[in-house]
Amino acid sequence: MRSNDGWIKTTCAYCGVGCGLEARTKLSGELEIRGDKSHPSNYGKLCTKGIALGDTVIHDGRLLAPTDNRAPEAIELSWDSATQIIADKFSQLIEKHGPDSVAFYVSGQLLTEDYYVANKLCKGFIGTANIDSNSRLCMASSVVGHRRAFGSDTVPICYEDIEEAELVILVGSNLAWCHPVLFQRLRSAKQNNPSKRVIVIDPRQTESCDIADQHLALKSGSDVALFNGLLSYIAGNDYIDEAFVSNTTNHAEQALDSAQQEEDVALVTGLSETQLQRFYHDFATTEKVVTIYSQGVNQSTTGSDKVNSIINGHLAQGKLGKVGTGPFSVTGQPNAMGGREVGALANTLASHMEFDNPEHLAIVKNFWRSENLALRPGLKAVDMFDAMAQGKIKAIWIMATNPMVSLPDSDKIRKALHTCEFVVVSDCIADTETTRMADIVLPAQGWSEKSGTVTNSERRISRQRRVLPSPGMAKPDWWIVSQVAQKMGFGHAFNYLHEGEIFREHAALSVEGNLNGERDFSLIGLTDLDDQDYNQLLPQQWPVTALQSQVVNQRLFSDQRFYTPNHKANFIAVRHSLPQSATSEAYPLLLNSGRTRDQWHTMSRTGLSARLAEHKSQPYVQIHPQTADQYGVRDGQLVEVRSTYGLCQVRAEVTRDVQPDHLFIPIHWNNITAKGAKPCELIAPSTDQVSGQPEFKHTPVNLQPCQYQSTALFTSRHVINFDDCDYWARQKIEHGYLYHIESKRSVSELALELKQRLIYQHGRVFSMESGAGGIRYHYMTVKNDKVFQGLYVQPSMTEDDIEWMVNNFNQEISEAMAGIDNHVHSTVKRLSSKTMS
Ligand code: SF4
């Protein structure tokens, strides 16, 4: 799929929108990126993260070789010996303690082919279902909601429905930042059709509210009460689609009874009767309604019930299976949907088949020719790490994810990995908090190097293609897993030579026992792809009955037939209940967490882009002005946020976007990019009882300002350890890094301390102390007549100071010196230049 002028079609590495893009290498070696105008998910549009993908393919910090970290000095391994060590250790532990003593923790960043092979090895040949994905943190509650309502994990709609809808409701979704291209499609559709309405349901005022006709800033965790109120309103005002409900659904009465018992929805949600009536009337009287929901719904101890409360409203009026209407769970990760398709969650089998169905077990067992198929669900993510901490899981293989940063209660995850006898981590980045815990680390290919498929939120399968060669010894994840499987004695089932073979097998499994549409997920039209077809595969939206050579936009359930035993959809009776954690005198504030616009997950990739770092350069907490006043916090000041689990140090952003007594911290920063700024240190490991998805949106905390006396900016070509400082955060800039530092020490003490970190071997050092009493210290080291390092220390920094330091870095020294004159207006006490040896 390389065009004559060198463009290769592939897909974005980040969110579940799954934008198609084109990449080509410039003569300079840089990777050029542009949107793929022919891709039906984005039609050429990309967001800031997608556009900046070319910045992130640099090899800074790449993991280049398999390494054994068990000895005091890490030992580089060949692939043969690394995979042999893993195969031997897993086999020994399985023989001694049984298959449930090992586990896999995988990721929505994996390609479907990688996911398929890992799931096949774990469930089909090792014989345990202890494989779970970090998608557990993202959309497990939606999977439960879909399966309970539809009998299958089916996203019924396609993106086109967002454009076709007359009313789009965003629930717990900051689409503008988390799924920006979908938001762009929604915004354009609204501009083209002024009668189209948007309602945002979110405790926070987010950028998504910019196009909202109504913003319902409900109380945290009260969604079920809100949507039960909707169901009662629909029933009480004769808006029920009686024909649809009686012919096509089960348990409507029970759900309605439950909804009607919901007391005082206004009080529970904190919304006025007028707001509620307007929302309910709008929903009930509009034919085409799409309800988009995301982490604000899923990441909750009542996430599954929230999902079903939304679906109940759609079922009551038959609002699904038709153009422009339906509930829509948008996924966070690029291939969360692919993971669901192959079954790489601990409680699903494979290819949308289930453990509790003997027919499904027989189909998978026969298809894989497995003697040892796992027959029951395994441990979900949080339970898996609990079992590890208790010594029950003795070996884990973590692929393409960073649980030390992303799972709640980081301290417990640290202890679990310490307790675990054998930890294997495959990643493309060398230094993450999780690779630091590994016995064996394996270099996996990264985006732009790997090849396979991903499925986006609208069930569209797209090729992710190889664009660049892999550095060092990096290999595809499917290849690494297959090598280990072969050495464990399962070679006959894992002798794949190409990712296309794996895809064909995955497609063939989707057809087994499914010739009459018994299951939703079918790739029957893709089972005969040869290697060339696979290489040239255009985006395909499942179910794929025949190879799609044109764009297809299809909805499921248009035949009003569901995948339950009687083919009717299920209403689920749900009731509002309070989140598991409540505020108290000691922890009176509520912490919410989520994404910023320009960073992704734990920043291991987006953190490499200087332009992405400009949007939010340091970890921060949003605080309402009233709360800031109450706690004596100034805008821009560092604060400490504490929960019963730990503490987090972040910079205050005082804003009315959050409610009084509510805080919001982004999830991205961690101990690699800042000191003590990881929100997962604060978050309780409370989960939804059905989905196992942790609560990330409702943590009781308290707050206090940090009392620091001095600040510093340090620019460097290389990563430097500042852990002995009270606070530091690292920002990628052109040609290097900018460190933001704060300290309890005086300005002169901090200057003296940081001066030791300057590398003087590179020629000259310029130093300057200015202002009355030496309140500013500025140093530059120079290499090849350019600023090699810069250090600036003073009581506090302004945006101008930061910009000046960034601009100075890597500049010709003569220009940098001129800049000093312009920047520093105070009296220059001393300016000296020494030649260092
Ligand atoms: Fe990538 Fe998502 Fe942005 Fe599209 S919207 S370019 S998939 S991050």
Side-chain angles (χ1 to χ4, degrees), residues 104-165:
F104 291 71
Y105 187 56
V106 294
S107 161
Q109 303 285 311
L110 292 176
L111 303 181
T112 297
E113 292 75 2
D114 305 322
Y115 249 145
Y116 178 87
V117 174
N119 189 54
K120 182 179 176 184
L121 171 62
C122 186
K123 290 185 184 141
F125 289 83
I126 290 177
T128 178
N130 283 345
I131 175 166
D132 210 32
S133 167
N134 62 4
S135 297
R136 178 73 56 196
L137 316 179
C138 164
M139 38 80 280
S141 298
S142 280
V143 175
V144 168
H146 290 155
R147 287 164 67 194
R148 291 199 302 199
F150 308 141
S152 57
D153 176 19
T154 312
V155 173
I157 79 163
C158 52
Y159 296 166
E160 192 186 60
D161 292 317
I162 295 171
E163 283 147 350
E164 294 288 337

Side-chain angles (χ1 to χ4, degrees), residues 405-427:
V405 177
S406 51
L407 276 171
D409 191 2
S410 306
D411 197 39
K412 189 189 69 183
I413 305 303
R414 194 175 301 117
K415 285 179 191 143
L417 288 170
H418 265 306
T419 307
C420 191
E421 203 174 313
F422 190 59
V423 177
V424 179
V425 178
S426 320
D427 208 312

